[in-house]
Amino acid sequence: MGKCIFCHLAPDAIIAANELAVAIFDKYPVNPGHTLVIPRRHYASYFEATEEEVMALHRLVTEVKKILDERYHPDGYNVGVNVGACAGQAIGHVHLHVIPRFNGDSPRPGGLRRVKKPVTPWLREDEE
């Protein structure tokens, strides 16, 4: 397996944790407060998570949101996971991104709908 960076985290890097997952600030944040929620067990795909791990990840995402709300006061959030290299997964240990969003932080916000050109055109109500 080699030395996985998420399997060997410095204890002082962890901002929140539970029995099955930990949270750290992203080393290359998209926005201030960008956090990664990582299962303690090493596996590559979100779809390999046990039901207990999914629930632990979800509980920690909720806890992280409270921390980020207090510290950064964001206007919104993107929460997501990349599964596979073609989807942007760069580290072979599953992790969820919790990205605080702020009004005006992007000239054309749109979340996942703006990742690539859609197969079927979709317009937001304000774009008609």
Side-chain angles (χ1 to χ4, degrees):
M1 167 172 34
K3 187 168 181 175
C4 171
I5 62 171
F6 290 162
C7 289
H8 299 89
L9 295 170
D12 62 344
I14 297 170
I15 62 167
N18 62 32
E19 66 284 358
L20 298 176
V22 299
I24 62 170
F25 286 119
D26 193 299
K27 188 174 179 180
Y28 303 101
V30 171
N31 266 343
H34 182 167
T35 301
L36 304 177
V37 176
I38 307 162
R40 293 179 186 270
R41 181 173 70 91
H42 181 94
Y43 53 98
S45 172
Y46 176 82
F47 300 107
E48 296 175 53
T50 65
E51 189 173 325
E52 292 78 17
E53 287 166 328
V54 169
M55 293 308 300
L57 291 166
H58 175 73
R59 285 192 306 273
L60 200 51
V61 166
T62 301
E63 184 177 336
V64 163
K65 180 195 178 293
K66 291 176 187 173
I67 293 168
L68 299 177
D69 282 347
E70 290 177 15
R71 188 177 296 186
Y72 297 100
H73 309 285
D75 301 302
Y77 284 91
N78 287 113
V79 178
V81 59
N82 302 323
V83 180
C86 74
Q89 184 175 3
I91 298 171
H93 185 134
V94 69
H95 53 286
L96 283 72
H97 293 262
V98 181
I99 304 172
R101 297 301 304 269
F102 303 90
N103 289 327
D105 69 0
S106 173
R108 195 166 180 229
L112 295 177
R113 293 254 180 217
R114 298 270 191 251
V115 171
K116 64 177 271 305
K117 186 175 179 176
V119 174
T120 302
W122 175 80
L123 293 176
R124 294 185 337 190
E125 289 181 21
D126 62 348
E127 294 180 325
E128 295 183 281

